[in-house]
Amino acid sequence: PTPHENDTEHFEGFAILITGQALTHALSKKLEKKFLELGTMCKSVICCRVTPIQKAQVVELVKKNEKKITLAIGDGANDVSMIQAAHAGIGIDAH
């Protein structure tokens, strides 16, 4: 082993990258709490190739189950439902 291999002081944490197709399953009633639990243990959760509804569902999941204030930032029409679902929503004009 290298000198830092077992050194937990250098561990930065985990991140999740999930596609829209996988998110469909993760947001099912059966798995949504597990997905939330896993996501809240991570430094970052990246959702790619997701639908506007899925964006809003992720915000709603956090808003409903965590005692946290949610913020959604978007730059297009496909972000409107996510922005509206959050406690605070910001729309950026990308022009």
Side-chain angles (χ1 to χ4, degrees):
T2 63
H4 297 288
E5 196 169 288
N6 295 322
D7 188 354
T8 56
E9 290 181 39
H10 291 88
F11 180 68
E12 297 289 329
F14 292 103
I16 294 175
L17 174 88
I18 188 166
T19 63
Q21 189 174 9
L23 192 58
T24 298
H25 301 291
L27 291 175
S28 69
K29 289 294 175 197
K30 181 179 174 184
L31 296 176
E32 69 179 357
K33 295 286 173 71
K34 291 286 185 192
F35 174 64
L36 179 64
E37 182 181 347
L38 180 62
T40 55
M41 288 190 291
C42 293
K43 291 247 183 195
S44 298
V45 178
I46 302 164
C47 303
C48 61
R49 311 294 287 170
V50 299
T51 67
I53 291 295
Q54 287 175 314
K55 292 177 184 187
Q57 288 173 322
V58 171
V59 172
E60 289 288 350
L61 181 64
V62 173
K63 191 174 164 183
K64 183 174 67 174
N65 294 287
E66 297 290 314
K67 291 180 170 62
K68 309 273 188 218
I69 301 296
T70 57
L71 167 67
I73 302 171
D75 67 354
N78 60 339
D79 297 321
V80 171
S81 57
M82 172 187 68
I83 290 168
Q84 290 176 335
H87 289 100
I90 298 173
I92 298 172
D93 184 3
H95 296 115

